[in-house]
Amino acid sequence: MVRRLFIAGNWKMNTSSSRAVELAEQVAGALAYVDNIDLAVFPPFVYLSQVAEVLKGTALAVGAQDCFYEDNGAFTGEISTAMLKDVGCSYVIIGHSERRHVIGEADELINRKVLKAVGDGLKPILCVGELLEQRQADETDEVVSRQVKIGLEGLGKADVLNVTIAYEPVWAIGTGETATPEQAQQAHAMIRQLLGELYGGSVAQSVRIQYGGSVKPDNAAELLACPDIDGALVGGASLKVTDFAGIVAGGR
Ligand code: PEP
């Protein structure tokens, strides 16, 4: 059974080799007291080994910000799931909105990555979320359901328990504009209901659904108090030790 609360820090294309190690050490130190929450940080690929090394034996796991769906071969620039495991990753973010909307990844590609990650024993965080214009056009449920359905296609009940869904409204990522607890709860409840239709009620209750989008120490507690919000995916605030630690403290 998964633990309900999972706080994950996505560092995106930030830090340097020395800053990544320093940040990892500081976050691990600040959160050394935590024993009832799953925590992970997601450094850039090139710093994964160093960060995994300094986090050995701490409460923090390490994950990658993306992966590819083939094992090896002529795929210039791509990183396989075996490579990620080799350097100490246990999680991988797949389908982040910046990969969908800046790089242009489609649901079918994201699904191939999810299947590969689960098949190879990594725990994917499948990101879904609507654009502002889609919310304004009342298309949130339709967009998010499609992303969840296609993203999970081909996964059985046992496999889906290894997936975390991250609901991240695109208009809230990096903007300082957070979804209200009501907006976030509504989307999470819709996702959980959909999981129930796809996999049955008990699986739906056990799959973690995280919220992401400008989570900060001062809004974490009210978001994480919502019944269907099981954790947070934190971008900007995960680069500041006191902010990330404050979010964890607020969510407990
Ligand atoms: C993210 O990168 O997934 C994210 C939620 O970023 P931020 O917390 O900065 O909005």
Side-chain angles (χ1 to χ4, degrees):
M1 186 63 71
V2 290
R3 289 207 269 188
R4 302 306 299 177
L5 199 53
F6 178 30
I7 313 286
N10 175 12
W11 296 358
K12 311 193 184 197
M13 198 172 74
N14 292 301
T15 69
S16 60
S17 150
S18 57
R19 178 64 191 140
V21 167
E22 180 188 49
L23 184 57
E25 283 171 339
Q26 290 174 348
V27 172
L31 297 174
Y33 70 94
V34 171
D35 61 2
N36 57 348
I37 296 175
D38 286 338
L39 299 167
V41 291
F42 295 77
F45 285 130
V46 286
Y47 307 136
L48 284 169
S49 291
Q50 288 166 285
V51 169
E53 190 56 39
V54 297
L55 292 181
K56 263 188 197 152
T58 73
L60 283 149
V62 180
Q65 298 174 19
D66 190 26
C67 67
F68 197 54
Y69 57 79
E70 293 286 356
D71 286 323
N72 48 48
F75 302 104
T76 302
E78 295 297 342
I79 303 287
S80 72
T81 50
M83 291 170 183
L84 296 180
K85 284 169 61 183
D86 192 27
V87 295
C89 289
S90 43
Y91 292 95
V92 58
I93 296 172
I94 299 178
H96 189 276
S97 78
E98 287 142 24
R99 297 218 57 93
R100 290 177 186 268
H101 299 295
V102 180
I103 314 288
E105 291 192 4
D107 286 318
E108 291 70 20
L109 172 64
I110 290 163
N111 173 244
R112 292 183 79 169
K113 293 181 177 187
V114 169
L115 293 178
K116 183 65 181 160
V118 172
D120 284 353
L122 283 173
K123 289 174 272 187
I125 299 177
L126 169 64
C127 299
V128 298
E130 79 288 358
L131 296 162
L132 182 59
E133 55 266 35
Q134 292 168 329
R135 174 162 282 269
Q136 287 167 342
D138 213 10
E139 293 169 359
T140 299
D141 286 6
E142 182 192 327
V143 169
V144 171
S145 315
R146 190 196 63 234
Q147 292 172 336
V148 171
K149 269 191 207 152
I150 302 179
L152 298 178
E153 210 165 278
L155 282 186
K157 283 187 184 188
D159 289 335
V160 84
L161 292 172
N162 291 315
V163 179
T164 295
I165 311 271
Y167 169 64
E168 301 205 295
V170 182
W171 47 272
I173 298 180
T175 59
E177 193 179 335
T178 318
T180 64
E182 293 72 28
Q183 286 172 322
Q185 167 57 26
Q186 197 176 28
H188 283 234
M190 186 277 292
I191 294 169
R192 202 169 311 277
Q193 188 183 332
L194 176 61
L195 290 172
E197 287 159 22
L198 295 172
Y199 295 101
S202 84
V203 172
Q205 286 309 318
S206 300
V207 173
R208 282 194 291 214
I209 310 175
Q210 291 186 288
Y211 170 78
S214 297
V215 177
K216 304 277 184 268
D218 61 1
N219 60 26
E222 57 175 2
L223 284 161
L224 290 163
C226 295
D228 286 297
I229 300 186
D230 304 321
L233 180 48
V234 182
S238 69
L239 293 166
K240 290 189 201 131
V241 179
T242 48
D243 282 3
F244 193 61
I247 289 168
V248 173
R252 296 174 80 230

